[in-house]
Amino acid sequence: MNKILLSMVISCYTFASDSATELLKNNGCTTCHAVSGIKKAPPFVGIARRNSRRSADPKSAIINSIKNGSQGKYPMFSDTKMPAFSYLTDEQLNTLADWILKQAPANRGIRRGRGRGMGGGMGRGMM
């Protein structure tokens, strides 16, 4: 009976994972970062956008910054130093990086302008 109970506890612990919002809250991330607004550090939207555009492996770049800390990556926040969160597990780092990358605007890459709205597109609109 004790072996069964112990097995259940271990399996619950093994498969339980922190959600990104719990990790953000428990590690004080939102003290400095906002999702899209300006605080002491770059917003998560900006982090997702910058790393998606400038890094061959954006997830690894974000994980590296969380795990080892960073400073100077964002000119507007050059005086802000992010501390290292080296105690986070690989699973927690992956959860945070995935969440941050999901904050990038969904319409990235869509061109606005020609062919849209009045006077453009099929039928040339109403003139």
Side-chain angles (χ1 to χ4, degrees), residues 4-98:
I4 294 171
L5 181 60
L6 181 60
S7 176
M8 288 173 55
V9 170
I10 290 171
S11 67
C12 287
Y13 180 77
T14 303
F15 294 110
S17 64
D18 297 322
S19 71
T21 53
E22 287 174 331
L23 288 167
L24 292 169
K25 179 183 170 191
N26 294 339
N27 291 288
C29 303
T30 55
T31 301
C32 298
H33 296 278
V35 174
S36 62
I38 301 294
K39 282 189 168 183
K40 297 176 188 176
F44 294 120
V45 169
I47 294 168
R49 185 181 300 136
R50 181 187 188 280
N51 283 282
S52 293
R53 289 181 181 166
R54 295 187 179 185
S55 177
D57 187 359
K59 185 174 178 179
S60 292
I62 291 171
I63 287 173
N64 184 52
S65 290
I66 296 169
K67 188 173 186 175
N68 301 312
S70 70
Q71 184 174 7
K73 286 175 69 173
Y74 302 86
M76 190 171 158
F77 301 96
S78 60
D79 294 336
T80 303
K81 182 176 182 181
M82 179 163 155
F85 291 87
S86 56
Y87 57 85
L88 294 174
T89 67
D90 288 342
E91 181 181 353
Q92 291 170 324
L93 291 165
N94 279 300
T95 298
L96 286 171
D98 287 338

Side-chain angles (χ1 to χ4, degrees), residues 49 53 104-118 120-121:
R49 185 181 300 136
R53 289 181 181 166
N107 64 356
R108 212 180 92 217
I110 295 177
R111 298 186 68 178
R112 308 238 184 251
R114 289 186 137 178
R116 295 185 181 240
M118 291 182 63

